[in-house]
Structures are given as structure tokens and as C-alpha cells.
Amino acid sequence: MVEFCCIPIVYIMKTIIYSTKDFERPYFERLNNGRHVLYYIDALLNPDTVYLAEGFEAVCIFVHDEMNADTIKRLSQIGIKLIALRCTGYNNIDIKAAKTVNIKVVHVPAYSPQAVAEHAVALIMALTRKTHKAYNRVRENNFLLENLLGFNLYGKTVGIIGMGKIGEAFGKIMLGFGCRVIAYDIQHGRDVPEEIAFKSFDEILQLSDIISIHCPLTPATRYLFNKETFSKMKKGSMLINTGRGGIVNTLDAIEALKNGLLGYLGIDVYENEEALFFKDLSAKIIKDDTIERLICFHNVIVTPHQAFFTHEALEEIVNITLKNLSDFATGLDPKNQIE
Ligand code: NAD
């Protein structure tokens, strides 16, 4: 009897992983299992650090790495064939420039929409019931209820901007609270639960008690929330942003909070977050007055781009990133390629 043995097929991509975080490395090491040659550095990929990619075939980057046309051209000159994003959004990459020099770009189109959706809900719950204030208060043995008065979610109208994977996961949770859920998307009429009604952008602004942003940052969505849009929102309503910081004009949001147009703001992303997020700056003087002003409001919660940050999501991000590298190495057209 002839026995066939299975020879493992090894697809190796020499890849430099920029802006590696301590929390990701164990996932990469465990799930890669020796398949690809991975080199970890904590530096961001930018014009000053691009030379470190010499000798590699692929660069793997995250949300804050700067991929402008100049950086991409230099990557091509040193032989980089693939840019693998280990995130969904790709607003930080000049896709056209990558195409011009024939560098392929892949991303992780979906890993755990629930992780981000649940974080948006966590921001809403903290803001409605003021648990952030109660937590600090009780630690000082202050058990008063004054200024902790909240409101029910049941029966409120929740507007979703961007009814994609995360928007849909978020909408389903809010339906469970007994909210009326309405949505705006440029792909009007997507297949979503029938209880969710599509509306125009202006209707979302006018009707919603809570608006949650789940669209990408594009030229069309940059500063989608600004002075004019805040003035069309229900007075005292809540805005949640777990999409991208540039979708909200932060200075306009501060003005809207000061004059009471905006009642609550919960953000996991901030337009100038690159200089702050993912860093311990507790012993430093923060020079960004805008974020410092925001943090001072009692009705604002800022989290440091952590909506994606669950065990399940990390495992999926790393698995898909490694699969993207393997697909490229085998000559398959990776299905997660950004055109
Ligand atoms: P998706 O592609 O499934 O959905 C995005 C939706 O937005 C699509 O339905 C699209 O038609 C819609 N859209 C695009 N432009 C629009 C516009 N001008 N107005 C209204 N809708 C518009 O993406 P997703 O997986 O749901 O992710 C959404 C965004 O969430 C990502 O682009 C990313 O920026 C952000 N995100 C944040 C985190 C985090 O940790 N905070 C994690 C993952 C994703």
C-alpha cells in the first residue's frame, strides 16, 4: 500500500512590521508559527524610517503610519512589493501612488464589527448613566446622587452614519434596547434588518437623540460634523464617533458643547490623535489644547482608539494579515486588496 505524506507548504514573505505594539507581538508569533519572516519595530513608517524596510518584500502598517506618495515611491525604490495594513480604514495611504509604482495594498476588511459596535455602546452607556463620574466619586467615599441623573435608551431615536458591517452590528444592539434606529448611507437601501429605516443625512440630524458615526474617512466625510451640522441636530443630543477623527471638526464640537447644542460627546478617535494615542504621556506637558479642552467637559468621554481592542478582534486581525501575506506570496490575487 502506498502512503502519501503531507509536506507542509511554506509561503514566506520577509515582512517588516512597523509600529508594533507589545500587545500584538504574541499574537503574531503564535499564529505565524514560523511561516513568514517577521521583523518587529516600534517606529512609525514615515519618510525618516522608510530606509529600515530595505531588504524586505512587504511592510505591515497600522492606523498612524504615514503613507504619502513620497514614502510609497521610496518603498518601491528599495524593492517593497506589498503594503499590508493590519486595520480596516486606509485613509492614511495614497492608494493611487501605490498603484503607480505597482505596490499592492491589502487590508483587513472585517475582523470583529461587534468589537467596535460594542465599544460605541459602552460610550453611550457611560454618558447616559454617568458611570465615569460615579466611579471616581465612589472611590472618594462620596455616595451622593446629585448630577448623576441619566436618561433611558428605551424609546430614543438612534441615527447611524454609515450602515456597513459595524453600523449594522451597532444598529442590532440598539434595537435590543428598544430604540428606534434610523440610518444614512451613500449606498442607500443596503440589505439591513427591516426595523432599521434609511433616511437622508439631514433627517438623521433632525430626528436623532443619539448619532453614531460608522462611515470611513474620505474626502466626502472629512468634517461631515461641523458648525452647520451641529446646528441642525436636536438640541442636547449625543454624538458618538468610533469611525475616524477627521469626520468631526473638533473645534466646532467644542463650540457646540459650550453653547449646549451638543449635550454629550463620546469619541474613540480624534483628528490629531497621531501625536497622542498609543503613548504614555502622563509625565509630559500636552501641547494640544484642543484635546485638553475636550477632556475637561463632564459630558465628554475620550477613549484612545481602543474600540477594536478585544482578544477576538486581535486574533482575527493577525490571522487575516498573515493570510494576506501568504496569498501574495503564492501569486494569488489577495481578495483583500484595495484597488
Ligand atoms: P464598511 O465598509 O463595512 O462600512 C462603511 C459604510 O460607510 C459603507 O456602507 C459605506 O457605504 C458607508 N459610507 C461611505 N461613505 C459614506 C458617506 N459619505 N456617508 C455615509 N455613509 C458612507 O466598514 P466598517 O467595517 O463598518 O468600518 C467603518 C469604519 O469604522 C472604518 O472605515 C474605520 O474608519 C472605522 N473603524 C474604527 C475602528 C476603531 O477601533 N475605532 C476599528 C475598525 C474600523
Side-chain angles (χ1 to χ4, degrees), residues 35-307:
R35 227 180 328 162
H36 299 288
V37 175
L38 303 178
Y39 185 78
Y40 308 91
I41 56 166
D42 57 10
L44 283 170
L45 176 51
N46 60 33
D48 297 331
T49 59
V50 75
Y51 73 95
L52 295 167
E54 190 145 15
F56 292 90
E57 297 162 277
V59 293
C60 181
I61 61 163
F62 198 40
V63 288
H64 295 156
D65 297 275
E66 262 176 59
M67 298 296 280
N68 58 26
D70 183 42
T71 307
I72 289 172
K73 192 168 154 210
R74 287 165 66 188
L75 283 174
S76 139
Q77 284 162 351
I78 59 175
I80 293 297
K81 309 260 178 307
L82 180 74
I83 297 169
L85 280 136
R86 49 189 196 282
C87 55
T88 305
Y90 46 87
N91 50 286
N92 52 333
I93 294 208
D94 187 334
I95 300 290
K96 225 166 116 192
K99 216 172 193 165
T100 312
V101 293
N102 203 23
I103 293 184
K104 301 264 186 285
V105 181
V106 285
H107 72 146
V108 181
Y111 42 93
S112 174
Q114 288 75 21
V116 183
E118 288 171 16
H119 190 76
V121 177
L123 290 172
I124 294 172
M125 293 302 290
L127 285 166
T128 55
R129 307 311 293 264
K130 305 182 177 20
T131 41
H132 56 305
K133 283 167 71 85
Y135 174 79
N136 286 328
R137 193 181 279 195
V138 169
R139 280 165 68 91
E140 293 190 2
N141 294 329
N142 176 349
F143 302 99
L144 282 173
L145 289 184
E146 268 66 19
N147 296 325
L148 294 184
L149 188 67
F151 65 86
N152 286 3
L153 288 177
Y154 180 81
K156 295 292 183 299
T157 299
V158 176
I160 302 174
I161 307 296
M163 196 58 192
K165 292 174 284 296
I166 298 171
E168 182 172 343
F170 171 79
K172 285 179 179 163
I173 301 174
M174 298 321 287
L175 286 173
F177 276 105
C179 295
R180 173 190 177 212
V181 181
I182 54 179
Y184 167 71
D185 195 297
I186 44 168
Q187 293 182 55
H188 193 94
R190 286 186 51 135
D191 193 16
V192 296
E194 59 181 7
E195 301 95 317
I196 301 178
F198 277 99
K199 300 276 177 197
S200 69
F201 181 59
D202 275 7
E203 283 173 314
I204 298 283
L205 297 176
Q206 286 151 17
L207 297 171
S208 305
D209 300 293
I210 298 169
I211 295 180
S212 195
I213 301 174
H214 298 292
C215 61
L217 175 61
T218 64
T221 63
R222 177 165 292 281
Y223 286 170
L224 187 63
F225 283 83
N226 55 41
K227 197 175 172 176
E228 193 195 329
T229 38
F230 287 128
S231 71
K232 292 183 184 168
M233 284 170 66
K234 257 192 185 179
K235 192 166 175 6
S237 57
M238 181 187 294
L239 180 65
I240 301 294
N241 187 11
T242 57
R244 282 289 181 265
I247 300 169
V248 175
N249 182 320
T250 320
L251 288 175
D252 288 355
I254 289 173
E255 269 319 296
L257 284 159
K258 278 161 80 175
N259 60 33
L261 281 178
L262 198 54
Y264 307 83
L265 178 68
I267 57 170
D268 183 53
V269 286
Y270 163 58
E271 57 178 309
N272 299 318
E273 68 179 49
E274 289 77 3
L276 305 165
F277 287 10
F278 306 152
K279 295 184 179 122
D280 177 5
L281 304 175
S282 53
K284 300 258 178 359
I285 302 295
I286 305 288
K287 303 214 171 91
D288 182 333
D289 293 345
T290 308
I291 192 87
E292 294 299 283
R293 180 67 185 98
L294 264 190
I295 291 168
C296 288
F297 287 102
H298 69 82
N299 49 354
V300 171
I301 296 184
V302 178
T303 55
H305 207 138
Q306 69 179 84

